Amino acid sequence: MVIRERQGIAEDTARARKAPVHPVVSDRLDGLFGGLSARKRVAASQLPVTLTILLVVIAAAIFSPETLASNLFQAALLFHLAIAAASAAIPWARLPAAAFAVIPMLDCVAIGFTREAGGPSFNVLSMMLVFPVIWLSAQVRPYMPVLAIAGTILSAVVPSAVQGSPPAGGSMIRTLILPLVMSVIAVTSHVVATTIRLHRTRLVENEHDLARTLGESLRRQSLLDAVLKAVGVGVWVVDAKGNTVLANRAMQADPILWPVIQPANVSDPAGGPGLLTAADRSTPVAQGQLPAARAAAGEAFTDELYWAGPADRQRAYSVSSHSFPPAGGQEGGAVITFVDVTSLIGALAAKDNFVATVSHELRTPLTSILGYLELVLDEPGHEEIKEELLVVRRNAEHLLNLVNDLIAVASERVELSREETDLARLLAVEVDAALPKAAGNGLQLVLEAEQPLPAKMDPKRIRQVIQNLLSNAIKYSPQGGLITAKAYRTEEGLVCSITDTGLGMTEEEQEQAFTKFFRSARSRETAIPGAGLGLPVSKTIIEGHGGTISLDSEPGAGTTATFILPES
């Protein structure tokens, strides 16, 4: 089911499917004439001369009976009759293609005999030469107009030669003037016929191209109809003014989304009967920020989250918009897709709750284990197993840190204890701590920091961020690489960046780098250790301080991780 505009397109398409492709008039005539056999075509071409001679006989019987009684005139008429019979009786299909030219040539001679036999009163019969001349001149072969001119000359010369009388003055005039006139007619007819034939050929080719294009258009239209009906994603096409052009079945059948999403149904910025809200599920979407309004303004967006419907029946939709330019006299617009992701968001929330719950459950026994390890290590008499106990404590601390990271990522917030801290000093301490590990991997670690860089921050958490970024730079850099740690002040705040010359990341990997548990394909292939939590935890910490964190990377050219903290 589609909207009114869509129905109009479908109706036009249906009419186009039912309507035959009408040929041009010349093609229709060609279809009629070309359907005849070669014999019938020659007889049909001879018909104008035969009918004219019949009219001449009738006129002679009425106005000049003495001419009709003339033996010479009757012989001329028999000549015409014989030509007509030959045109209908000879199997022209078995003869060469140009053999039919004999008939119009004989017509010219027969017309000359009829004119001479009729005397001065029948000189007008010279006009009949137009029929065989045009018949010959209209053919494709270029020598046919020459035959037409030759036939005209024969019509004046042969009768005089057969009668054995010297050409009179009038005959000489006919011998000279008539061929000239007929040659003009012959050339003109040939040019006109050739031009018409070329135009007709082009028209036929254009018609066939149009028929193929229409067939392909109908095929694509059918395919589009099938796709739009079968796909479970809501598809909504709007024009440059935000008006609906097309909406598929999945879109219109959604009882929650469709009544809410259309601008016409939204009476105020708070939305209509079913509220449309932003990703936080509480902020109403202003009318100018509705997907259709944004798409009509030419804005492109991908996978933006909206919630639709009343609070007790809210559904989540991932919305994307892609514009298309005007074409073929039609205005541009945009295609908007709506994917119901309510179940996915619920599953992700359940996963985060599960991770948070399990992490909390793990943190309690781990804390207890570490506490008892400290008691054991403080007591004398365990020197023989002290190294083993230290390994246990180190791994238990690592596991506890991992659990704390899981809790921070699941809750998307961390508890901060801010105090006045020098970022440059924090960075210097962590660089010194990372130097042995970097040197062990054959890396050079350089510090470039302004002094001092004070700000309100949680030193423990910012240290954790720096440790994560330095650890990533060391893990993902091959031997002989360079790692540069910088800290400086800008108008935006305090900036800290860690640059390496390591593996780097693609654009797709950068977009997912701050996603929980994400690890690049290269890190998995090279078995580089990690849980995919360092960057997500760092992002949570930096955003908790009101700052930002970003990556700039190219495959094989290294990565720069930068975070900015506000000074106040």
Side-chain angles (χ1 to χ4, degrees):
M1 181 181 298
V2 293
I3 57 171
R4 183 177 303 171
E5 291 87 347
R6 182 70 184 85
Q7 290 172 341
I9 295 174
E11 291 170 359
D12 291 343
T13 302
R15 285 194 294 269
R17 286 173 177 162
K18 295 177 181 178
V21 179
H22 292 291
V24 294
V25 174
S26 60
D27 286 341
R28 189 178 298 148
L29 293 175
D30 281 350
L32 177 61
F33 194 73
L36 301 176
S37 64
R39 183 184 302 176
K40 292 181 179 179
R41 285 200 300 271
V42 173
S45 300
Q46 175 64 19
L47 191 59
V49 175
T50 303
L51 292 176
T52 304
I53 290 298
L54 179 60
L55 294 176
V56 169
V57 171
I58 295 173
I62 297 173
F63 301 105
S64 183
E66 63 280 4
T67 301
L68 189 59
S70 169
N71 292 333
L72 186 59
F73 192 80
Q74 291 176 1
L77 295 180
L78 289 175
F79 191 9
H80 280 290
L81 182 60
I83 295 173
S87 65
I90 295 175
W92 299 104
R94 301 178 185 177
L95 300 177
F100 77 92
V102 173
I103 297 298
M105 293 292 290
L106 292 176
D107 279 337
C108 291
V109 175
I111 291 170
F113 272 114
T114 307
R115 181 189 63 230
E116 292 295 332
S121 300
F122 286 83
N123 283 341
V124 72
L125 292 181
S126 296
M127 296 295 295
M128 289 181 59
L129 291 171
V130 171
F131 295 128
V133 166
I134 292 179
W135 184 3
L136 288 169
S137 302
Q139 305 305 312
V140 178
R141 297 169 184 81
Y143 59 81
M144 287 296 182
V146 177
L147 292 180
I149 297 171
T152 304
I153 296 173
L154 291 176
S155 71
V157 173
V158 172
S160 298
V162 171
Q163 293 178 12
S165 60
S171 298
M172 290 301 298
I173 293 175
R174 284 196 298 272
T175 304
L176 296 175
I177 301 299
L178 193 60
L180 291 176
V181 174
M182 289 302 167
S183 65
V184 174
I185 295 175
V187 172
T188 303
S189 299
H190 186 72
V191 171
V192 171
T194 303
T195 303
I196 292 175
R197 191 176 292 109
L198 291 175
H199 281 278
R200 182 182 60 205
T201 301
R202 293 193 187 99
L203 285 174
V204 171
E205 291 174 353
N206 292 338
E207 181 185 345
H208 291 164
D209 291 341
L210 181 61
R212 285 194 295 270
T213 302
L214 178 60
E216 180 65 17
S217 176
L218 293 176
R219 189 190 67 81
R220 292 184 179 182
Q221 183 67 52
S222 299
L223 178 61
L224 176 61
D225 290 343
V227 170
L228 289 178
K229 290 178 181 178
V231 71
V233 175
V235 180
W236 188 23
V237 182
V238 297
D239 60 19
K241 298 179 182 178
N243 299 319
T244 302
V245 175
L246 180 150
N248 70 340
R249 181 180 301 171
M251 187 72 186
Q252 296 189 72
D254 193 320
I256 293 179
L257 177 65
W258 188 241
V260 175
I261 205 68
Q262 300 179 91
N265 290 348
V266 182
S267 57
D268 55 62
L275 190 64
L276 185 70
T277 60
D280 59 5
R281 304 185 69 171
S282 59
T283 304
V285 178
Q287 193 164 359
Q289 292 299 312
L290 289 170
R294 295 173 60 189
E299 181 180 352
F301 49 91
T302 303
D303 295 332
E304 293 204 5
L305 186 63
Y306 287 89
W307 288 86
D312 59 336
R313 293 187 297 118
Q314 269 192 331
R315 305 290 296 178
Y317 297 89
S318 176
V319 185
S320 302
S321 173
H322 301 278
S323 59
F324 56 87
Q330 301 295 322
E331 63 179 359
V335 179
I336 313 173
T337 58
F338 294 80
V339 182
D340 191 333
V341 294
T342 309
S343 300
L344 177 60
I345 289 180
L348 292 175
K351 184 197 72 173
D352 290 342
N353 291 335
F354 173 77
V355 171
T357 301
V358 171
S359 300
H360 279 288
E361 294 297 324
L362 289 174
R363 185 163 61 176
T364 300
L366 282 172
T367 303
S368 177
I369 290 171
L370 286 170
Y372 281 107
L373 277 174
E374 292 296 334
L375 292 176
V376 172
L377 288 171
D378 289 341
E379 292 181 2
H382 299 290
E383 284 74 13
E384 66 278 3
I385 61 170
K386 186 173 183 180
E387 289 298 325
E388 288 79 358
L389 291 174
L390 289 174
V391 172
V392 173
R393 184 177 69 177
R394 185 168 62 251
N395 284 284
E397 288 175 345
H398 175 71
L399 185 57
L400 181 60
N401 290 334
L402 183 59
V403 169
N404 288 333
D405 288 346
L406 285 171
I407 293 173
V409 169
S411 62
E412 296 185 351
R413 63 182 181 84
V414 291
E415 295 181 2
L416 300 177
S417 179
R418 303 193 189 197
E419 58 185 70
E420 192 73 22
T421 306
D422 185 359
L423 177 61
R425 179 171 177 76
L426 275 183
L427 181 61
V429 171
E430 293 307 321
V431 168
D432 288 340
L435 278 173
K437 187 174 181 181
N441 287 4
L443 302 172
Q444 183 181 1
L445 181 55
V446 177
L447 173 65
E448 300 177 6
E450 297 179 5
Q451 298 286 344
L453 295 173
K456 283 279 189 179
M457 67 183 77
D458 185 328
K460 181 180 178 181
R461 290 297 188 181
I462 296 301
R463 187 180 297 116
Q464 182 181 359
V465 173
I466 296 173
Q467 289 172 355
N468 288 337
L469 299 183
L470 285 172
S471 175
N472 284 344
I474 293 172
K475 285 193 296 184
Y476 293 102
S477 294
Q479 286 198 357
L482 173 65
I483 299 175
T484 304
K486 297 181 180 180
Y488 50 94
R489 178 182 284 105
T490 67
E491 295 180 356
E492 299 179 66
L494 303 184
V495 181
C496 178
S497 66
I498 309 295
T499 302
D500 63 61
T501 56
L503 302 178
M505 291 183 289
T506 64
E507 291 185 8
E508 294 77 8
E509 290 173 340
Q510 292 180 62
E511 291 175 358
Q512 301 183 62
F514 293 101
T515 303
K516 291 172 278 189
F517 308 111
F518 171 77
R519 302 193 70 226
S520 67
R522 185 70 182 276
S523 64
R524 295 193 300 271
E525 292 170 359
T526 54
I528 296 175
L533 291 174
L535 287 177
V537 170
S538 300
K539 183 174 185 291
T540 301
I541 293 172
I542 296 301
E543 290 182 349
H545 282 81
T548 59
I549 185 170
S550 61
L551 296 176
D552 183 13
S553 180
E554 291 185 13
T559 302
T560 297
T562 305
F563 67 83
I564 303 175
L565 295 174
E567 293 191 66
S568 55

